[in-house]
């Protein structure tokens, strides 16, 4: 079974600074998808960024980027120019390559605090 | 687009009663919907996968007779917590996978907070 590990229960960053959230995963599959989700206090899950394992280029969405290391099974999220609105719980998630396997496996989450 | 709603957003019930939670895809058709449970300050745990017109597939350790799931149409799935007890109090989240969309994204509902007294 696939597992997702987020080793940082909590992180904090100063406004306008950069922070990196760690995520590692374990899988025997060669093709899969990885995601970072944000869950603010409203508890609505928001997709931040996704990465297809077959793509070597790291995904980027505005201030959010990932460092995807397939051999190391590592998928970290970098938030640049942190804003107060970035404060939330961040979950790393894994999904298999398809067929009937569209299930998401989530890590335990990292609570990010942004200090003004 | 790609909006998922849940109703109710919160519910309080007495122990022993049943509660139904609805999950609707408002602007797309969802062949598959997922039900998650989230305890305070914890991650999302998948309870079951629901496919339109067929029986739900439950994760190991989830009581199918306790958590009844019905996916009667391409836009609606329901989760019924039967004979609810205080330990069933939790935050329940659904997500939906769009038929015509990219096959690697799920859209999440806003969640339902269930409190069993």
């Amino acid at each position: 079974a696939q597992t997702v590990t987020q080793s940082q229960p909590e992180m904090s960053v100063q406004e306008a600074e950069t922070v990196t959230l760690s995520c590692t995963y374990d899988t025997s599959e060669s093709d899969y998808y990885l995601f970072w989700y944000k869950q603010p206090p409203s508890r609505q899950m928001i997709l931040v960024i996704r990465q297809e394992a077959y793509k070597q280029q790291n995904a980027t969405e505005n201030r959010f980027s990932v460092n995807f290391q397939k051999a190391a099974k590592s998928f970290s999220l970098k938030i640049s120019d942190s804003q107060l609105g970035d404060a939330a719980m961040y979950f790393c998630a894994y999904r298999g390559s398809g067929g009937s396997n569209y299930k998401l496996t989530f890590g335990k989450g990292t609570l990010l605090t942004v200090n003004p | 687009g790609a909006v998922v709603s849940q109703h109710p957003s919160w519910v309080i019930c007495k122990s022993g009663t049943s509660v139904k939670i609805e999950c609707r895809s408002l602007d797309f058709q969802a062949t598959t919907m997922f039900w998650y449970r989230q305890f305070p300050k914890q991650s999302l745990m998948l309870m079951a996968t629901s496919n339109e017109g067929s029986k739900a597939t439950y994760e190991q350790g989830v009581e199918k007779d306790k958590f009844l799931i019905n996916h009667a149409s391409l836009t609606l799935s329901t989760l019924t917590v039967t004979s609810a007890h205080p330990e069933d109090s939790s935050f329940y989240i659904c997500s939906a996978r769009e038929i015509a969309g990219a096959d690697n994204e799920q859209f999440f509902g806003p969640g339902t907070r269930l409190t069993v007294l």
Side-chain angles (χ1 to χ4, degrees):
Chain A
Q2 291 80 20
T3 58
V4 178
T5 302
Q6 293 179 250
S7 58
Q8 306 154 316
E10 297 184 19
M11 291 283 284
S12 65
V13 63
Q14 291 295 126
E15 195 175 4
E17 297 293 308
T18 296
V19 65
T20 298
L21 307 184
S22 301
C23 173
T24 58
Y25 58 94
D26 187 25
T27 183
S28 58
E29 297 179 304
S30 59
D31 194 19
Y32 47 87
Y33 299 88
L34 295 165
F35 306 84
W36 278 98
Y37 284 91
K38 170 184 178 181
Q39 188 180 41
S42 68
R43 304 191 77 170
Q44 171 73 59
M45 294 290 284
I46 301 167
L47 178 63
V48 174
I49 199 166
R50 62 172 171 249
Q51 174 83 41
E52 291 88 345
Y54 65 85
K55 291 186 177 179
Q56 293 186 341
Q57 187 172 9
N58 289 323
T60 300
E61 289 286 343
N62 300 314
R63 298 182 295 106
F64 299 87
S65 62
V66 298
N67 183 1
F68 173 49
Q69 300 290 327
K70 190 172 184 178
K73 296 180 181 175
S74 171
F75 182 61
S76 60
L77 174 70
K78 185 171 81 171
I79 306 174
S80 304
D81 186 25
S82 296
Q83 301 175 359
L84 295 177
D86 295 333
M89 181 72 85
Y90 286 82
F91 293 101
C92 178
Y94 170 101
R95 208 216 82 188
S97 59
S100 61
N101 184 20
Y102 293 101
K103 299 190 296 184
L104 287 171
T105 300
F106 288 90
K108 291 186 175 182
T110 297
L111 180 62
L112 178 65
T113 302
V114 181
N115 301 310
Chain B
V3 178
V4 176
S5 70
Q6 281 184 242
H7 178 81
S9 55
W10 60 272
V11 58
I12 301 173
C13 69
K14 292 182 178 179
S15 185
T17 61
S18 295
V19 175
K20 179 184 286 188
I21 301 170
E22 293 185 347
C23 176
R24 293 182 184 272
S25 55
L26 298 185
D27 50 3
F28 66 98
Q29 292 184 322
T31 185
T32 307
M33 290 184 173
F34 303 86
W35 287 95
Y36 297 87
R37 184 173 182 176
Q38 186 180 31
F39 289 107
K41 297 185 180 181
Q42 294 190 23
S43 186
L44 282 72
M45 297 299 296
L46 179 66
M47 299 175 67
T49 301
S50 167
N51 291 294
E52 186 267 338
S54 62
K55 291 183 178 181
T57 301
Y58 290 81
E59 294 299 301
Q60 191 173 11
V62 177
E63 299 177 60
K64 58 181 67 177
D65 295 330
K66 173 82 172 169
F67 299 99
L68 300 178
I69 291 172
N70 183 277
H71 193 160
S73 77
L74 288 171
T75 59
L76 174 65
S77 177
T78 60
L79 167 68
T80 301
V81 183
T82 62
S83 186
H85 288 93
E87 57 266 29
D88 299 324
S89 298
S90 189
F91 194 68
Y92 293 88
I93 304 174
C94 74
S95 69
R97 184 177 74 87
E98 186 176 7
I99 291 177
D103 71 349
N104 59 352
E105 186 168 357
Q106 296 178 22
F107 301 98
F108 286 83
T112 297
R113 183 180 303 280
L114 170 63
T115 301
V116 184
L117 302 177

